Amino acid sequence: MRSKKTCSKNSKKSKNRATRNTKSCKNPPYLPPEAEEGNIEYKLKLVNPTQSRFEHLVTQMKWRLQEGRGEAVYQIGVEDNGLLVGLSEEDMRASLKTLRRMAEKVGADITIIREREVDYDSDTPRKIAEVLVRKVPDDQQFLDLRVAVLGNVDSGKSTLLGVLTQGELDNGRGRARLNLFRHLHEIQTGRTSSISFEILGFNSKGEVVNYSGSRTAEQICESSSKMITFIDLAGHHKYLKTTIFGLTSYCPDFAMLVVGANTGIAGTTREHLGLAMALKVPIFIVVTKVDLCSRGTVERTVRQLERVLKQPGCNKVPMLVANGDDAVTAAQRFAQSPSVTPIFTLSSVSGESLDLLKVFFNILPPLSNSKEQEELMQQLTEFQVDEIYTVPEVGTVVGGTLYSGICREGDRLVVGPTDEGQFLGLKVSSMQRNRSACRVLRAGQAATLALGNFDRSLLRKGMVMVSPEMNPTICWLFEAEIVLLFHARTFRKGFQVTVHVGNVRQTAIVERLHGKEELRTGEKAVVRFRFIKHPEYLKVGAKLLFREGVTKGIGHVTHLQPASLHQHRP
């Protein structure tokens, strides 16, 4: 027994010594062991493989690309257990040549993300290489990541998006953001009041595809293997309900919190950070306007952010991105661990460190793998209605996200619930994704659907379009387990709040608090709510957020009481 203990002690000591040594050495000698799932593959070397070995390697690459929905990362010079062995210059050249041949075989391109030397027992310098393999999917269904853009008013959100998507730096007086505004009052005040969508593409070689070179949205989609769709949300407090709606209904994969270096954490910054965390959206931070401030001011803002992120309520691990190597590491760690929070410091005027953010977006992998996507696609069709328009010569158009299933041109669906709790039949006449026509829509994708001459007045935000065979459950009454984040007085029966669940936004009355008379800040309870205006389509387990003035709470739906009326009207 004693020998075991001393043995473990010695191994602990040697472990500590090893970690100390790795800290003094620039590169860690190990990566985490290779995972079966996921899109990361370790290869020690790929020098002159036999034909059968080559075929096996190609099959392996197809699997990794499928796991990453069209993207994979190869670590060359690394053993399966994660040991960084490294290769000589000659072996590395031969391995990359084989990798290029493999990629050609599956219709993909390769980009070397980074190369670095490793300290392995050898006289000659040895390197490992990290390579991004990306293919244009066979059906032109590019990888699409949605990023919600949050931050206080005047922090530089729209300007940053203008610079990224237009490819031109700002003049310091707001020229870059003008392309993004939709209303006259936004142009006059320089403040966003509505939700706008902007796109940034990357081709299979990892090069930026944006509106520079006077491309249209269709051309950007055609040239891109990966798209980043930015959801530009309002920063001003009076548009908070619009911001919450954007976060709950558009199902963003990530959130980008923009902070002005000159103002630091001001206004709605904390609130937006709290919202993203309550809805469990992974968040990273961009500190803009570094050209306006001294180095000391920028550092003070970053320290202030680090302090907030490390607080007990947040429990985040801040990671300052200072160079290209950091940007690659940040993208990979961010996707693997929700607690890592990358911080970028850049300028939309001078362009300082803007490239690091582009490297980050280029490498950022999707959160859901191909298996989860497949499972969602096999369910019945369910499309959330977020926007409603009338387009001349097209008719009624709805915008939103396909939550599950597959939707094709010509499909017959039912939409509802109406105020009476009914569902109405309709036909999808055409569809568009990122402003270009598409034939098939898959689960998780956002799009606009044209409904021909369907009466627009029968539609509202918060409705769903589903397969007729779904027989959807709708309710006036539902129960949710909630946590009261903040309330000035006490929260009790009869209280009215605005409830946000996905794309549903409606006033509800608190009918009952189970086991309690009232709630105070920080307390939990199961609460029964009743909608005031019309029944809604909800799901058990859906995240819920409610507010009324300064009162705020979060939770999830635990029980639905189905309304008796849910017949279909042909």
Side-chain angles (χ1 to χ4, degrees):
M1 187 70 191
R2 223 176 75 214
S3 63
K4 255 189 186 175
K5 271 189 178 172
T6 52
C7 173
S8 68
K9 263 187 184 173
N10 289 343
S11 67
K12 268 184 188 170
K13 273 184 184 170
S14 59
K15 237 182 198 174
N16 291 345
R17 214 173 294 131
T19 52
R20 268 208 302 279
N21 292 345
T22 59
K23 276 180 185 169
S24 61
C25 148
K26 188 168 177 283
N27 301 310
Y30 272 93
L31 287 171
E34 182 186 63
E36 283 290 313
E37 268 81 48
N39 68 338
I40 296 174
E41 177 71 39
Y42 296 172
K43 281 283 169 264
L44 185 55
K45 57 180 174 182
L46 300 166
V47 179
N48 300 329
T50 61
Q51 189 55 38
S52 64
R53 169 80 178 138
F54 182 75
E55 293 301 330
H56 173 71
L57 289 168
V58 168
T59 309
Q60 210 173 31
M61 183 176 271
K62 281 180 183 166
W63 159 252
R64 290 296 184 190
L65 284 168
Q66 189 189 333
E67 281 286 280
R69 289 165 51 189
E71 276 185 8
V73 174
Y74 270 67
Q75 304 273 9
I76 309 290
V78 181
E79 284 189 357
D80 284 354
N81 64 358
L83 180 66
L84 307 186
V85 177
L87 294 178
S88 65
E89 192 72 46
E90 195 180 330
D91 282 355
M92 182 59 81
R93 234 194 333 267
S95 296
L96 290 173
K97 190 179 172 187
T98 306
L99 195 64
R100 199 166 272 114
R101 270 176 58 215
M102 288 157 57
E104 275 170 16
K105 186 97 182 196
V106 297
D109 278 315
I110 71 169
T111 318
I112 297 171
I113 305 170
R114 58 180 171 179
E115 282 187 302
R116 49 187 175 156
E117 282 194 11
V118 288
D119 297 335
Y120 194 71
D121 302 335
S122 157
D123 304 330
T124 54
R126 298 170 78 92
K127 280 184 175 176
I128 62 162
E130 205 165 323
V131 185
L132 180 69
V133 183
R134 180 179 285 159
K135 70 176 291 207
V136 181
D138 313 322
D139 50 6
Q140 292 295 315
Q141 291 285 342
F142 46 76
L143 178 59
D144 191 4
L145 298 182
R146 288 197 286 277
V147 178
V149 185
L150 302 166
N152 190 34
V153 64
D154 300 336
S155 60
K157 296 188 295 297
S158 301
T159 298
L160 174 61
L161 291 193
V163 170
L164 286 170
T165 58
Q166 306 295 326
E168 276 180 32
L169 292 174
D170 189 43
N171 61 354
R173 293 190 300 281
R175 181 181 62 192
R177 67 185 176 208
L178 291 179
N179 298 303
L180 276 61
F181 288 156
R182 301 200 290 183
H183 303 294
L184 180 62
H185 69 261
E186 292 181 325
I187 293 167
Q188 287 166 345
T189 61
R191 289 176 179 177
T192 306
S193 66
S194 56
I195 297 172
S196 67
F197 294 85
E198 297 305 321
I199 54 173
L200 173 68
F202 291 94
N203 64 17
S204 53
K205 293 186 177 71
E207 297 157 343
V208 170
V209 184
N210 57 17
Y211 287 108
S212 60
S214 63
R215 285 191 189 94
T216 60
E218 288 85 346
Q219 287 168 330
I220 292 176
C221 293
E222 278 166 22
S223 318
S224 301
S225 306
K226 178 178 190 173
M227 298 283 293
I228 307 286
T229 303
F230 294 106
I231 308 163
D232 188 12
L233 303 174
H236 200 284
H237 203 277
K238 72 176 180 183
Y239 304 124
L240 185 65
K241 68 174 187 192
T242 309
T243 305
I244 295 176
F245 182 75
L247 268 177
T248 54
S249 71
Y250 292 114
C251 320
D253 298 292
F254 305 102
M256 174 166 84
L257 180 68
V258 181
V259 178
N262 53 343
T263 52
I265 299 176
T268 51
T269 308
R270 279 174 200 272
E271 194 149 7
H272 285 186
L273 178 64
L275 283 173
M277 284 172 53
L279 294 165
K280 295 190 167 51
V281 181
I283 194 158
F284 61 96
I285 297 175
V286 175
V287 177
T288 58
K289 306 190 184 184
V290 299
D291 55 296
L292 289 179
C293 312
S294 66
R295 175 67 40 213
T297 309
V298 176
E299 283 170 7
R300 194 160 63 242
T301 299
V302 170
R303 276 201 304 275
Q304 190 186 13
L305 282 165
E306 286 175 342
R307 264 201 312 277
V308 168
L309 291 170
K310 286 175 183 172
Q311 279 173 355
C314 288
N315 291 330
K316 298 281 186 190
V317 181
M319 181 182 177
L320 190 61
V321 177
N323 53 44
D325 206 33
D326 288 353
V328 174
T329 309
Q332 291 170 351
R333 285 207 193 146
F334 183 53
Q336 287 159 1
S337 162
S339 61
V340 172
T341 305
I343 302 176
F344 295 83
T345 54
L346 54 81
S347 163
S348 301
V349 174
S350 69
E352 184 189 329
S353 299
L354 206 58
D355 288 346
L356 301 184
L357 190 59
K358 289 177 187 168
V359 166
F360 178 77
F361 283 135
N362 180 32
I363 295 165
L364 196 58
L367 287 177
S368 63
N369 59 25
S370 52
K371 201 161 108 198
E372 289 167 23
Q373 176 86 349
E374 286 292 323
E375 282 169 9
L376 274 174
M377 275 159 52
Q378 278 157 19
Q379 294 172 15
L380 290 171
T381 305
E382 183 186 318
F383 182 88
Q384 297 184 345
V385 178
D386 300 333
E387 300 276 346
I388 302 152
Y389 325 91
T390 304
V391 179
E393 295 172 22
V394 176
T396 303
V397 173
V398 293
T401 306
L402 187 65
Y403 185 79
S404 63
I406 287 177
C407 183
R408 294 182 174 86
E409 263 183 29
D411 276 3
R412 293 197 173 274
L413 303 171
V414 293
V415 67
T418 61
D419 290 359
E420 296 80 42
Q422 293 170 322
F423 279 76
L424 314 169
L426 54 78
K427 183 183 172 185
V428 178
S429 51
S430 66
M431 302 188 291
Q432 280 200 346
R433 247 187 100 200
N434 285 329
R435 300 168 208 170
S436 53
C438 79
R439 287 277 163 83
V440 182
L441 195 62
R442 289 170 170 76
Q445 296 177 342
T448 50
L449 277 53
L451 309 178
N453 55 6
F454 190 85
D455 185 356
R456 178 186 168 164
S457 65
L458 297 171
L459 297 170
R460 61 177 170 78
K461 287 181 186 182
M463 279 185 164
V464 284
M465 287 162 47
V466 294
S467 302
E469 57 266 36
M470 190 186 264
N471 196 18
T473 310
I474 57 163
C475 63
W476 285 97
L477 283 168
F478 70 96
E479 288 184 357
E481 193 176 302
I482 64 155
V483 180
L484 198 59
L485 297 180
F486 182 76
H487 187 43
R489 299 184 306 282
T490 52
F491 181 84
R492 57 178 57 177
K493 185 180 167 183
F495 201 73
Q496 286 193 11
V497 291
T498 304
V499 172
H500 294 260
V501 187
N503 63 339
V504 169
R505 177 172 78 195
Q506 201 191 134
T507 305
I509 290 180
V510 175
E511 284 238 321
R512 185 177 167 196
L513 276 73
H514 288 282
K516 288 187 181 175
E517 282 298 307
E518 53 189 37
L519 270 190
R520 296 180 187 280
T521 300
E523 291 185 339
K524 279 185 179 182
V526 174
V527 176
R528 185 191 292 167
F529 292 99
R530 175 190 282 277
F531 286 122
I532 284 183
K533 296 182 196 155
H534 37 71
E536 297 283 11
Y537 169 78
L538 297 182
K539 276 182 163 167
V540 170
K543 291 192 202 88
L544 167 139
L545 206 134
F546 62 86
R547 61 181 175 84
E548 191 55 59
V550 292
T551 302
K552 290 176 199 70
I554 56 168
H556 62 274
V557 178
T558 54
H559 177 73
L560 305 174
Q561 194 166 320
S564 52
L565 269 165
H566 59 271
Q567 71 268 27
H568 294 208
R569 192 193 289 172

